[in-house]
Amino acid sequence: MFELPKLNYKYNALEPYIDEETMRIHHSKHHQAYTDNFNKAIGETEESAEDIIADIDEISEDKRTAVRNNGGGYINHKLFFSLLKKDVECRGEILRAINKKFGSFDKFKEEFGNAAKTQFGSGWAWLVVDEGELKIVKTSNQDSPLSDGKKPILCIDVWEHSYYLKYQNRRPEYIENFFHVINWNKVNELFLEK
Ligand code: MN3
């Protein structure tokens, strides 16, 4: 049985960029629902959720869509919530790699922001490591880059439930403010694991 991962910060810790009520509902309702529905879809298993999603084609066809959507929702939110912390500076290896790949941090921010803005409908924008290289990708619904063999190290949830209470239709403002709550130390750790 998979359990809802606990947050190591309070629901109000990301104010004013992400409001307390959004965090409470997003974690205790949405992430909980993905967790419960993933358990229902997958049943007993010894595998990690990440491995299941990476090898999604091995799941029998009758269960695959439910596992992909709810297992994806489970691991995507697990990563997303673990990467949030206010006012952490981007530095170290990850900053060097970003500068090398994108030219500058501002250029990276622009490209990542554009991916998040232009994801049509519900989905995610990601910074991934793909064969040793940093890349920005988008996915729809709860699809994970893991299913394409890419390792996600940063993600932004652009489902309306992640910003609508505070930002309504102003997705670009949510994305701009998201840059204040990225735990770059954690992103750096994931990058160095590659
Ligand atoms: Mn969400």
Side-chain angles (χ1 to χ4, degrees):
M1 290 287 278
F2 295 100
E3 284 182 10
L4 179 67
K6 290 203 166 54
L7 302 186
N8 65 4
Y9 50 84
K10 297 211 166 85
Y11 287 135
N12 67 4
L14 308 172
E15 291 269 9
Y17 306 113
I18 303 180
D19 59 291
E20 179 175 0
E21 190 62 3
T22 296
M23 285 300 295
R24 177 176 291 111
I25 295 170
H26 201 177
H27 180 253
S28 73
K29 304 290 184 196
H30 291 274
H31 198 185
Q32 183 71 63
Y34 287 117
T35 306
D36 295 343
N37 291 324
F38 179 38
N39 281 320
K40 273 184 216 151
I42 196 73
E44 282 303 311
T45 178
E46 297 293 308
E47 261 192 293
S48 76
E50 288 77 9
D51 285 348
I52 291 168
I53 296 301
D55 299 326
I56 190 69
D57 290 337
E58 287 173 20
I59 301 293
S60 65
E61 227 175 299
D62 58 320
K63 293 199 285 187
R64 197 179 302 147
T65 301
V67 170
R68 181 188 185 124
N69 290 339
N70 294 293
Y74 174 75
I75 63 165
N76 293 345
H77 287 90
K78 183 179 157 196
L79 179 66
F80 177 72
F81 288 129
S82 77
L83 290 172
L84 302 181
K85 190 175 181 184
K86 206 157 71 172
D87 299 329
V88 180
E89 201 189 339
C90 182
R91 51 200 284 231
E93 288 299 310
I94 186 64
L95 180 60
R96 278 191 280 283
I98 282 174
N99 284 336
K100 190 166 168 229
K101 172 73 189 185
F102 300 98
S104 68
F105 185 80
D106 282 347
K107 197 83 185 73
F108 158 73
K109 190 177 164 186
E110 189 185 324
E111 282 187 38
F112 185 83
N114 279 339
K117 275 176 221 164
T118 58
Q119 167 54 37
F120 185 75
S122 297
W124 298 75
W126 308 84
L127 179 64
V128 300
V129 181
D130 183 18
E131 292 176 356
E133 230 189 291
L134 287 180
K135 282 183 190 161
I136 292 168
V137 298
K138 307 188 259 190
T139 61
S140 292
N141 302 314
Q142 294 298 352
D143 288 354
S144 163
L146 281 174
S147 303
D148 298 322
K150 301 179 174 89
K151 179 190 163 89
I153 61 171
L154 172 65
C155 56
I156 179 169
D157 188 344
V158 292
W159 283 60
E160 285 185 345
H161 67 228
S162 65
Y163 63 86
Y164 209 85
L165 284 182
K166 181 177 172 73
Y167 295 100
Q168 291 87 47
N169 61 333
R170 303 188 308 279
R171 190 194 282 192
E173 196 181 322
Y174 158 67
I175 294 164
E176 180 66 29
N177 281 339
F178 178 74
F179 278 88
H180 291 281
V181 297
I182 299 170
N183 186 348
W184 285 106
N185 298 333
K186 183 80 197 199
V187 179
N188 193 47
E189 262 173 45
L190 294 175
F191 175 64
L192 294 176
E193 265 174 29
K194 64 180 184 276

